[in-house]
Amino acid sequence: MKADNLNIPRHVAVIMDGNGRWAKKRLMPRTFGHNAGMNAMIAMARKAKQMGVRYLTVYALSTENLSRPREELDGLYNLFRKYFTKNVKDLYAEGAAVRVIGDITALPEDVQKLIAEGVANSPADAQFFVILALNYGARAEITRAVNAAISRGERVEEGDVSALLDTKDFPDPDLIIRTGGELRLSNFLLWQAAYAELYFTDVLFPDFDEKQFEKAIKDYSSRNRRFGKI
Ligand code: IPE
Ligand code: IPE
Ligand code: MG
C-alpha cells in the first residue's frame, strides 16, 4: 500500500521499552541504552510528524520507575535536561510543540523548571504535539481526577472524567505501540486506551527506527475499528 493511502492515526502513544536490555546486550550501562532510546524517540517524532500524526505521546518515566536506582534516575534526568534545553528547539523550528503529562513535582526542581519553559516556549499554533509522560501513572492520574471531582462536590459524567485527566487537551490514543516484547500496559493511559488499537513488537526501543514505526502505522491502517458496533 502506498504511504498516502494509509489511514493515519491522529494520536499514537508509545511505551518505549527495552533500553536497559539493549545496553546489556552490548555490555554497557543502562544509561547508555536510555541515551540511544532518546535518539530513537527524536527520530520517531520526526517520522510521526512527516506521516501526518498530530499527537505523539511517549512514556518516558512511569511512577513505578521512580523507585529505580539513583544512578539510573540521574542518567534519565540528565537526558530530560538535554531534551528540554536543546532538542525542543528543533521541534519549535518545525512548528511543533511539547507537552507533559504526569506529576512532575517529584522531579528535581531544575528539571521541573526546564520542562515548564519547554512547554511555555512551544509555538502557539502548533500542528504537531510531542507529549512526554514523565512520572506518569494512570492510577495516580485517575486518583487525582477523582479527588478533583470530590472537591467540586458534583456527580460526574464520563466526559467530565476525561476533562479532569492530564490528557484533557488531547484526543484518546488511536494506536498504542509497545516495544521490547512485553505484552502489558504497565499503568499507561488506562482510561484513554479504552478503544485504542494495540501493537506489540519484540524490537527493543533503541532499534525501533523509522521503518519499524511505518510498519506499526501500516498494521494500524489495516485494522477494522468497530467501537462496539456491527
Ligand atoms: C524503558 O526501558 C525506558 C524507561 C523505563 C525509562 P527500560 O529501562 O525499562 O529497559 P528494559 O525493559 O530494562 O530493557
Ligand atoms: C514501562 O516500562 C515504562 C516506560 C517505558 C517508561 P517498564 O520497563 O517500567 O515496565 P515493566 O516494569 O516491564 O512493566
Ligand atoms: Mg522495561
Side-chain angles (χ1 to χ4, degrees):
M1 202 189 296
K2 275 184 24 206
D4 37 353
N5 290 335
L6 289 176
N7 175 23
I8 301 293
R10 186 157 60 137
H11 183 174
V12 178
V14 185
I15 303 172
M16 309 184 291
D17 195 23
N19 294 350
R21 280 162 284 162
W22 185 90
K24 195 173 177 201
K25 272 173 46 181
R26 287 161 180 76
L27 308 177
M28 294 296 280
R30 295 179 60 83
T31 304
F32 182 74
H34 293 315
N35 198 53
M38 192 168 99
N39 292 335
M41 192 265 271
I42 291 163
M44 176 173 71
R46 205 176 304 121
K47 181 68 178 174
K49 181 172 182 284
Q50 184 208 323
M51 290 189 82
V53 171
R54 269 181 66 93
Y55 302 90
L56 178 73
T57 299
V58 290
Y59 205 5
L61 187 72
S62 73
T63 51
E64 290 76 20
N65 291 152
L66 246 66
S67 53
R68 288 192 181 187
R70 185 80 261 152
E71 193 190 341
E72 181 169 353
L73 288 176
D74 283 343
L76 285 167
Y77 296 152
N78 279 335
L79 282 174
F80 301 157
R81 286 184 180 100
K82 181 166 170 274
Y83 187 81
F84 280 98
T85 40
K86 290 179 66 175
N87 304 106
V88 287
K89 300 208 171 98
D90 297 332
L91 282 183
Y92 303 162
E94 292 175 24
V98 63
R99 296 285 186 269
V100 168
I101 57 172
D103 177 15
I104 64 163
T105 63
L107 305 185
E109 272 183 31
D110 72 302
V111 176
Q112 289 183 46
K113 191 162 168 278
L114 289 174
I115 293 170
E117 286 167 6
V119 171
N121 294 335
S122 291
D125 56 351
Q127 294 298 305
F128 177 70
F129 296 84
V130 175
I131 303 155
L132 281 103
L134 297 174
N135 187 24
Y136 175 84
R139 286 183 170 181
E141 178 194 37
I142 292 167
T143 305
R144 284 195 294 277
V146 170
N147 282 321
I150 289 171
S151 63
R152 284 184 193 173
E154 285 169 18
R155 285 179 58 84
V156 289
E157 307 295 335
E158 284 188 14
D160 302 321
V161 176
S162 295
L164 288 168
L165 297 174
D166 297 356
T167 50
K168 58 183 180 301
D169 297 328
F170 320 119
D172 286 343
D174 301 293
L175 170 65
I176 295 180
I177 297 172
R178 182 173 189 142
T179 66
E182 311 295 354
L183 306 180
R184 53 178 173 256
L185 290 175
S186 301
N187 205 10
F188 189 47
L189 301 177
L190 298 183
W191 172 276
Q192 300 87 337
Y195 268 99
E197 296 296 323
L198 307 179
Y199 180 89
F200 296 98
T201 171
D202 288 338
V203 174
L204 302 174
F205 189 69
D207 293 328
F208 189 78
D209 60 12
E210 292 163 33
K211 281 220 149 48
Q212 293 291 337
F213 185 81
E214 202 171 329
K215 195 173 157 202
I217 301 298
K218 282 185 176 158
D219 187 306
Y220 168 86
S221 185
S222 70
R223 309 249 185 124
N224 180 9
R225 302 182 78 188
R226 283 185 291 280
F227 298 99
K229 303 184 177 70
I230 53 167

